Amino acid sequence: MADDRRDFRSNRWLRRVLGACFGGVCLVATFLGVLVLALLLWSVVAAAMPSAPMGATGPSLSVRVRDLFHLLGELISRINASDADAAGYRVGLVSSLWLLALVAVTGIPVGIAAGVYLEEYAPTGRIRHLVQTNIANLAGVPSIVYGILGLALFVRGYGIKALALGPVLISGVLTLSLLILPIIVITTQESLRAVPQSLRQAALALGATRWQVVRDHVLPSAFPGILTGTILGLSRAIGETAPLLMVGAAGSLDRPPRTPLDRYSALPIEIYNYAHEPGAEFRVVVAGGILILVALLLTMNSVAIVIRHRYRRSA
Amino acid sequence: MLSSALEVSSRRSAVAERWAGHSRYLAYWEAAVTLGLVLCTVVTVLTTLGIVAVLGVETVAFFSQAKIGIGEFLFGTALKPDATSPRFGVLPLMWGTFLIAAGSSAIALPIGLFSAIYLSEYAPRRLRSVLKPTLELLAGIPTIVYGYLALVLITPILKQIFEPFGLRVERFNALSACIVVGVMIIPLVSSLSEDVLSAVPRGLREAAYGLGATRFEVSTRVVLPAGLSGVCASFILAVSRAVGETMAVVMAAGMVPKITLNPLTSIETMTTYMVQVISGDASYGEPKYLSLFAVGLTLFAVTLCLNLISNLVLRRFREVYH
């Protein structure tokens, strides 16, 4: 009896220590992610800042921050060049904004419409299940495969000359639209699912047609969720490099596109291109470009995340 | 009297007419909208068909152009697309891809799982509401940024660690790519796993606590087994993501197709090969250019299998609680 009790007690001690260690490991693992994010931002900022010697002799922090913003301003206004002192990202930025705007008007409506159909209209059954599985799989297809699809379908027109668009802006737009389609469909469906059924029933009972119910009641109350998905999808499109490489976005272009049928570039493409340049002076240019891209995407994503969390709390 | 009655009835019928007209208009509108929505849904199906068709047709063209068999393609150990008698063995690329996937999983799966357990079992509510969005932000950083970091941050650190031991670290090496891809897929693992673990019913936890279990025991023996299918599914999805990852690997791991166990040297993955071919000067119709599609099809098949298995695991082995 006494032996049993001693065993139990020693065991309890071990269990507590083990538990505490495990909790510690989990804590460290979680903060590792946050730490990496901080390290990442810091190292990019440090690389973009004009190099200061260690110690007190360097310029003060406020001067360096001002220099950094000055550098970013220069990078935004200059166009592509093979000389690091004259190199900038204007063409890439303008192209990326074109891509953003055009993907927003081509890819987003189609994605939302497909989500609405699957959630509000489609009869449950085999076909809906198949389409649903297909979309889940599309979301997992590597982005470079979409690039190949765009290359064969839009740039080369499946071998038919009349259909071939060539490596122009609209090819990139269509490719990116297909790429973000599954994200938009899935988030739209999720936010439609969160709309209470009673809302639909009430509207239907008052004689509204199905489309009236969706347009006037379901879509407005699912709007924040759909908006979140839209922003996340667009930021994904802005950050993608590989599919645009496939469909022929140009790394060094000396003027931004003016129409959807012009040749185009993109911010990440130009960064990739500069990263290939030999010479240490391009480091600052690359780091500055990364900083612009990251700032753009973090802003978009945090807006999306804030909307989502506020919406969830009120729901 | 009669005329006013007639007037009323005619007005009534006019109103009825207008209503009927409106509902007919509504019916047309309804049909048109439904058709539009169906067409948009069809686009998603066409995308998959398009991918399969494009890759399939061009791969067949590749095999007839390059005059090699499927066996030689899949199991050939030499990849020399530029040689006078080009060889297209995809095995070195498969090995490179496997190396990256395995290395990054070794980093991301444990860390992702631990942080999922922390977020769902340990973290106070306030902290959790800050940490979760932060991890989501990490997931939104584009892959080219990770590639850049591998090049300017990770590789120099690796050099400082390994070179004192006489190990040569190449400028492009597999290990730095593994590390950044691993960091990249941590949020995927932790956020998906956390969703699953949080969904395990409270009653199970409370029953275990009531029996005197510590938090560690509840986490590892009650919650984790209950959510195991979801955790496994998230693991497989993360591996699939690492397999399809392009830019970080292109920038960090280099473009030397070889079968090696040394992670400090340069390798080449399937995605990297595709970027290499498209950036090169091969023109359409050449075997080298067409090999792009054959490698693409292989990549697509691998990720598709992983995604389907992940789906299957999630559905087959899910514990259902009511």
Side-chain angles (χ1 to χ4, degrees):
Chain A
M1 190 71 189
D3 275 358
D4 276 1
R5 219 150 109 206
R6 196 163 60 229
D7 280 355
F8 185 68
R9 206 172 285 152
S10 69
N11 196 9
R12 189 175 63 181
W13 181 81
L14 188 71
R15 284 166 62 205
R16 283 206 175 145
V17 169
L18 214 63
C21 290
F22 183 71
V25 167
C26 290
L27 183 73
V28 169
T30 311
F31 277 92
L32 212 63
V34 182
L35 201 74
V36 165
L37 185 63
L39 183 74
L40 205 148
L41 289 176
W42 175 80
S43 71
V44 177
V45 170
M49 277 210 193
S51 56
M54 296 298 248
T57 50
S60 73
L61 188 67
S62 65
V63 173
R64 291 173 62 195
V65 169
R66 209 188 58 211
D67 284 351
L68 180 67
F69 278 102
H70 181 70
L71 171 78
L72 293 187
E74 298 260 282
L75 285 179
I76 288 174
S77 59
R78 287 195 207 123
I79 62 158
N80 202 297
S82 54
D83 178 15
D85 287 330
Y89 291 102
R90 199 176 85 209
V91 178
L93 259 175
V94 173
S95 301
S96 282
L97 292 180
W98 265 103
L99 288 171
L100 184 77
L102 291 179
V103 168
V105 298
T106 57
I108 305 284
V110 174
I112 294 177
V116 167
Y117 180 76
L118 286 173
E119 208 53 41
E120 303 287 326
Y121 284 78
T124 50
R126 266 193 99 93
I127 296 181
R128 180 168 182 254
H129 180 74
L130 263 179
V131 173
Q132 204 74 69
T133 314
N134 171 45
I135 288 172
N137 281 326
L138 274 183
V141 170
S143 58
I144 193 164
V145 173
Y146 283 98
I148 288 200
L149 177 68
L151 172 70
L153 214 55
F154 306 129
V155 179
R156 300 190 43 78
Y158 220 88
I160 306 164
K161 269 262 166 58
L163 293 178
L165 294 164
V168 295
L169 185 62
I170 195 74
S171 303
V173 168
L174 293 175
T175 308
L176 290 180
S177 295
L178 290 185
L179 172 75
I180 64 166
L181 198 59
I183 308 175
I184 305 293
V185 176
I186 290 170
T187 48
T188 301
Q189 280 190 287
E190 273 169 7
S191 33
L192 290 178
R193 222 169 284 149
V195 175
Q197 205 61 33
S198 57
L199 201 70
R200 294 184 186 91
Q201 287 158 352
L204 284 172
L206 289 172
T209 63
R210 220 173 200 176
W211 173 236
Q212 284 174 329
V213 173
V214 169
R215 185 192 59 195
D216 298 338
H217 303 284
V218 178
L219 276 183
S221 61
F223 181 70
I226 295 177
L227 187 64
T228 306
T230 303
I231 300 175
L232 288 180
L234 285 178
S235 80
R236 171 92 192 272
I238 289 295
E240 276 296 349
T241 318
L244 289 181
L245 274 181
M246 293 316 238
V247 295
S252 50
L253 210 61
D254 53 6
R255 66 185 186 95
R258 287 169 198 279
T259 69
L261 290 175
D262 282 346
R263 298 227 43 194
Y264 68 111
S265 181
L267 188 53
I269 297 278
E270 288 201 328
I271 293 172
Y272 176 63
N273 209 42
Y274 284 135
H276 275 294
E277 295 279 350
E281 61 268 34
F282 271 101
R283 281 224 165 155
V284 177
V285 178
V286 174
I290 296 258
L291 210 54
I292 296 171
L293 184 66
V294 168
L296 192 69
L297 291 182
L298 285 189
T299 314
M300 286 173 76
N301 284 354
S302 26
V303 168
I305 288 169
V306 165
I307 294 175
R308 175 157 72 205
H309 280 257
R310 181 161 298 172
Y311 171 62
R312 242 187 222 159
R313 213 166 295 151
S314 66
Chain B
M1 187 83 166
L2 188 74
S3 67
S4 76
L6 266 177
E7 200 178 294
V8 166
S9 82
S10 80
R11 203 189 299 150
R12 244 181 225 159
S13 73
V15 168
E17 184 66 25
R18 205 158 67 225
W19 270 96
H22 190 53
S23 77
R24 207 175 300 139
Y25 163 74
L26 277 183
Y28 286 138
W29 184 235
E30 189 76 5
V33 165
T34 312
L35 186 67
L37 296 180
V38 169
L39 287 181
C40 290
T41 312
V42 168
V43 171
T44 62
V45 179
L46 287 183
T47 308
T48 309
L49 293 182
I51 290 175
V52 173
V54 164
L55 292 179
V57 168
E58 304 284 3
T59 303
V60 169
F62 164 72
F63 281 122
S64 67
Q65 282 278 324
K67 296 183 183 64
I68 66 167
I70 292 177
E72 196 187 334
F73 174 71
L74 284 180
F75 302 110
T77 52
L79 182 70
K80 291 181 189 123
D82 294 318
T84 41
S85 58
R87 306 273 301 274
F88 293 99
V90 84
L91 216 54
L93 300 182
M94 296 259 226
W95 174 255
T97 308
F98 171 76
L99 206 63
I100 297 291
S104 58
S105 305
I107 293 167
L109 302 191
I111 293 181
L113 180 59
F114 282 137
S115 81
I117 291 175
Y118 182 79
L119 285 174
S120 91
E121 303 302 313
Y122 284 82
R125 185 175 288 209
R126 291 281 290 274
L127 186 64
R128 193 182 150 196
S129 69
V130 176
L131 279 178
K132 239 197 138 183
T134 314
L135 284 177
E136 283 170 27
L137 270 187
L138 201 62
I141 291 175
T143 63
I144 189 163
V145 178
Y146 286 104
Y148 165 79
L149 285 175
L151 212 54
V152 303
L153 193 69
I154 308 288
T155 301
I157 293 176
L158 291 180
K159 276 192 178 164
Q160 283 190 350
I161 294 175
F162 287 108
E163 303 229 303
F165 298 102
L167 296 166
R168 215 175 78 77
V169 181
E170 291 180 12
R171 174 152 184 262
F172 298 105
N173 60 79
L175 187 57
S176 66
C178 287
I179 292 172
V180 286
V181 174
V183 169
M184 208 168 76
I185 59 178
I186 288 175
L188 187 75
V189 179
S190 69
S191 128
L192 286 177
S193 301
E194 201 263 342
D195 287 345
V196 178
L197 296 182
S198 301
V200 173
R202 271 186 84 80
L204 283 183
R205 291 190 184 89
E206 275 159 14
Y209 282 127
L211 290 171
T214 64
R215 197 172 268 198
F216 165 63
E217 286 155 351
V218 171
S219 305
T220 53
R221 293 193 204 166
V222 177
V223 179
L224 196 58
L228 196 62
S229 69
V231 171
C232 289
S234 82
F235 281 5
I236 300 170
L237 274 188
V239 171
S240 151
R241 180 78 193 280
V243 166
E245 172 45 41
T246 309
M247 291 323 286
V249 182
V250 167
M251 291 181 78
M255 297 178 170
V256 184
K258 63 170 175 252
I259 300 178
T260 172
L261 268 174
N262 183 0
L264 300 178
T265 57
S266 176
I267 52 145
E268 183 162 40
T269 66
M270 290 191 265
T271 50
T272 316
Y273 177 74
M274 289 155 81
V275 170
Q276 190 191 4
V277 169
I278 201 77
S279 313
D281 49 5
S283 57
Y284 184 80
E286 280 177 41
K288 185 184 175 191
Y289 191 91
L290 289 173
S291 69
L292 176 72
F293 295 94
V295 174
L297 185 63
T298 317
L299 175 69
F300 178 69
V302 170
T303 51
L304 186 68
C305 284
L306 286 173
N307 292 344
L308 288 177
I309 292 172
S310 160
N311 255 334
L312 206 69
V313 166
L314 197 57
R315 242 177 304 136
R316 263 288 164 74
F317 302 103
R318 179 157 58 194
E319 307 267 341
V320 181
Y321 301 101
H322 293 289

